[in-house]
Amino acid sequence: MSQAEKILADYEQSEHYQDRKIQYIYYVNRASLLEHQHQWAQSAEVLEKAAEIATDIDLSYEKIVHLFVSLSSHYSTLQRFNDAENALNKIPVPESELPEVLRYFIDLARANIYLDSEDYDRAEPLLLDLYGKLKNSIGADAHTTLRAASLLSTLYIWKDQKTDALPYAKETYRLAEMTRGPTSPDAITSKAQYGLVLHYTGDNEEAINVLNKATDDFIQYISPDSAYLHMAYYYLAEAYTQEGDYQSSLDTLLKINQERFAAAMGAENADTRITMLTAINNWRLHGTQKDVIEQVWPEIEGCECALEAIAAAALL
């Protein structure tokens, strides 16, 4: 039993446990522990118990909103999208009584549900409206604006509108450095995403610069096992290939842990991408492995990604 679990067990056995406020504190901390263990369903069940008693105790509007938004986020992670939206609709405080920053927080949570459920037609106008309000609001904090910019960047990447994603990816990176610090995980991850979007939009020279900095930061400040580091390595290699620096691309591909890369990509063809890009570089450098390119091509054709264009050019 971990120290955190022991503390919670002691809480449960305490003579004060029947106090509703003590129960609320217990449920919130138990849910946090389960969330840390990625036990989303169990964590959601505990948060439901906290939500049942939230209105019976003296909680601030901020704590109530954060509780229901957290429950909504759990449902969304579990792909229970109707439950996720209902959790937001059931926040037991009239919206008119909430300060502006909490209304923005709820709107962001709602937009995140639409994004997770691939309901882009509802996500896009909500996020654009919200981002516009945040940019023009004196009272809005940079953390909320950061989240809106990040969701817009993700939305346009998923919609394959990379040019539209670029300004939001850049703003996410800027705000993450400003609010979280340049060596924070959020800043480093958003730097890598900015580099990825630069690559997608054809600015490979700047993408190489940004992605090299991001990969160095992942190793120094986060972990050499980070899945996002190995995804960044792959797109850095693609950018090198598109710039004609085939040896640097090969050197970068050798740094990739294929298991971690596949975890970040969530793609079944992660190994295929590395095999194809390696073969293209060898074909360009040494005139070898064209047969590998031709063999793997059917798995790449139609992927509408940079690698397809690189491979098509190599086959000419």
Side-chain angles (χ1 to χ4, degrees), residues 146 150 169-197 207 209-224 226-233:
L146 162 63
S150 176
K170 185 175 183 179
E171 181 68 354
T172 301
Y173 169 35
R174 184 188 73 81
L175 288 170
E177 281 206 324
M178 183 180 78
T179 60
R180 310 282 206 261
T183 60
S184 67
D186 281 347
I188 294 168
T189 302
S190 63
K191 183 189 299 182
Q193 179 150 312
Y194 176 46
L196 168 61
V197 178
N209 177 46
V210 172
L211 287 169
N212 266 313
K213 291 177 181 176
T215 54
D216 288 346
D217 286 347
F218 269 115
I219 293 168
Q220 184 173 357
Y221 299 111
I222 301 181
S223 168
S226 167
Y228 292 106
L229 165 63
H230 295 278
M231 181 174 71
Y233 275 145

Side-chain angles (χ1 to χ4, degrees), residues 16-34:
H16 303 294
Y17 182 70
Q18 296 306 313
D19 183 289
R20 301 285 270 175
K21 198 157 192 175
I22 296 295
Q23 288 179 13
Y24 168 80
I25 294 170
Y26 170 82
Y27 290 143
V28 168
N29 283 284
R30 168 62 70 184
S32 179
L33 178 63
L34 290 166

Side-chain angles (χ1 to χ4, degrees), residues 3 24 35 52 58 66 85 106 108 133-135 147 153 166 177 180 182 187 193 201-202 214 229-230 242 250 257 271:
Q3 183 65 22
Y24 168 80
E35 179 182 344
E52 287 175 4
D58 185 23
H66 278 265
E85 194 158 8
I106 294 168
L108 277 174
K133 289 176 180 175
L134 288 165
K135 290 289 285 184
R147 181 64 177 151
S153 174
L166 186 58
E177 281 206 324
R180 310 282 206 261
Q193 179 150 312
T201 54
L229 165 63
H230 295 278
Q242 288 196 310
L250 284 171
N257 178 306
D271 292 351

